[in-house]
Amino acid sequence: MKAMLCTHYGPPEEMELRDLPSPVPGRNQVLITVKACGVNFPDVLMLADKYQFKPPLPFPPGGEVAGVVKALGEGVSNLKVGDRVAVSIGNGGFAEEVLADSRRCVAMPANVGFDVASAFIVTYGTSYHALKDRAKLKPGEHLVVLGAAGGVGLSAVEIGVAMGAKVIAGASTQEKVDLAIKHGAVAGFVYPKLPLSRDQQKAMSDKIKELTGGAGADVLYDPVGDQYSEPALRAMNWEGRYLVIGFAAGEIAKIPLNLTLLKGCDVLGVFWGMATQRDPKRANESLQEIMKMISDGKLHPDVSAKFPLAEGGKSIRMLMDRKAMGKVVVTMG
Ligand SMILES: NC(=O)c1ccc[n+]([C@@H]2O[C@H](COP(=O)([O-])OP(=O)(O)OC[C@H]3O[C@@H](n4cnc5c(N)ncnc54)[C@H](OP(=O)(O)O)[C@@H]3O)[C@@H](O)[C@H]2O)c1
C-alpha cells in the first residue's frame, strides 16, 4: 500500500510517496481501507516538529480518516468487514490503509460521504466538547468565533447555531466572514493580519462589543491566539467564558489576569484529544450525536478542497498559507 511520508521535518512538499507493507491488525484493532483523510492544523505542526505529540520519523501525517473495514483483529465484535467507518487516529491517515482501535470507530450512515466523514471528528468533536461540555453555551447567548472560516472555527459556528446561540464570526478576510455567515452566523467582522497596533486591537474589542449590542461575548472561541487573544478577552461579557482552542496565528498569548477579574469571566482550556482518552465512552457518544446531526442535515461540514494522496503536501500547504476554507481533505483511489 502507498503512504505519503514525512521523512524529515520541513516543508510539506518534501514528503515522499512510498510503498509500505500492509499493516496487520492487533487485538481490538481493525485494518481500514482509507477513502479520505481530513487535514488539520496539528498536521502543519507535526511536519515542523512543533506539535506536543511527536511520532517517530518517518511517519504519514493525517489524524482522521473515513474508509471501509478490510480486516478484523482478535477480539473485535462491534464491526465487520465491509463496514463504513470514520475514526480519529492521531496520525497515519495519509496512506491507503491504516490500523485503528475498533472501539473508537464511528459507523457512517449511508447518506454521509467519505470526504465529509473524514472531515468532522477533530473539528466538530473539538467544538462540540468546547461549547457543550466546557462553556455550557445557552440558547440566545452571543458566541464570538475567531478564525471562523477555518476547520475548527466553522464547526464552532455551525454547532453554536445548532445550540441556539447568536453567532458572530471574526476572520481575516470578508470572503471568510461570508462563508461563516452562509453557515448561520448572524454577523461578522474582519480583523487585520499581524502585527496589530494598539489602535487595531482596541478597534477589534470595540467591534465585538458593538456586534453584541454593547454587552460583549458570552462565549468566545479562540483557535488563533497571538495578538488576537487579548482584545478578544477585553470584549467579554460579565461571567463570559473564554475558550482557549489553539494558536494558529503563532504565539501563545500571555494575558493580564486582571482582565478576568474585571469581567468576572472564566478562561477555559479545551483539549479534545485528551478528553477522548480520559473518557472514551463520552467522546464516542458525542461523535455519534454529531454524525446523526450531519446525517439529519442539521450540520454541514464544508469540504472546500480535495487532493489526491500523491499531492498530499499541497493540502497541508493550504492550511500553512492561511488559505483553507472549512476543511481540506486528501482522497485515495
Ligand atoms: N484544543 C483542541 O482540542 C484543538 C483541536 C483541534 C485543533 N486545535 C487547534 O485549533 C487551531 C486551528 O486548527 P484548524 O485545524 O481549524 O486549522 P485551520 O483550518 O488552518 O484554521 C486556522 C485558522 O486560524 C487563522 N489563522 C490566523 N493566523 C494564521 C496563520 N498565521 N496561519 C494559519 N492560520 C492562521 C485562520 O483564519 P483567519 O485567516 O480568518 O485568521 C485559519 O482559518 C490550531 O491551533 C489547532 O492546533 C485545537
Side-chain angles (χ1 to χ4, degrees), residues 13 16 19 28 55 76 87 89 102 139 142 144 153-154 221 223 254 277 308 313 327:
E13 292 78 10
E16 289 176 31
D19 278 308
N28 291 323
V76 176
V87 62
I89 51 172
S102 64
H142 278 118
V144 176
L154 200 56
Y221 186 98
K254 293 178 179 56
Q277 284 178 34
K327 287 288 295 195

Side-chain angles (χ1 to χ4, degrees), residues 115-127:
D115 50 354
V116 165
S118 77
F120 88 98
I121 291 190
V122 174
T123 51
Y124 284 73
T126 298
S127 295

Side-chain angles (χ1 to χ4, degrees), residues 159-288:
I159 290 171
V161 171
M163 290 174 77
K166 286 178 275 186
V167 179
I168 315 281
S172 63
T173 66
Q174 189 59 47
E175 192 190 6
K176 289 183 174 185
V177 169
D178 289 345
L179 181 68
I181 288 175
K182 195 176 133 205
H183 283 260
V186 292
F189 61 100
V190 177
Y191 49 67
K193 299 216 164 145
L194 299 182
L196 302 186
S197 66
R198 275 184 184 275
D199 284 351
Q200 286 173 318
Q201 292 188 34
K202 181 166 183 319
M204 182 174 155
S205 295
D206 290 346
K207 192 70 191 170
I208 294 173
K209 286 183 200 154
E210 180 198 317
L211 291 173
T212 52
D218 298 303
V219 175
L220 199 135
Y221 186 98
D222 180 8
V224 296
D226 209 307
Q227 279 188 304
Y228 299 108
S229 298
E230 187 173 326
L233 186 61
R234 285 183 186 275
M236 295 302 291
N237 197 357
W238 179 250
E239 294 190 344
R241 288 87 75 208
Y242 186 101
L243 294 163
V244 181
I245 306 293
F247 317 101
E251 294 295 317
I252 298 170
K254 293 178 179 56
I255 297 289
L257 277 179
N258 67 315
L259 294 179
T260 64
L261 178 155
L262 294 170
K263 304 280 175 186
C265 72
D266 296 336
V267 175
L268 301 169
V270 176
F271 191 174
W272 162 244
M274 183 57 74
T276 64
Q277 284 178 34
R278 294 180 79 98
D279 192 347
K281 187 168 166 287
R282 166 83 192 114
N284 210 276
E285 284 166 5
S286 294
L287 291 174
Q288 284 175 23

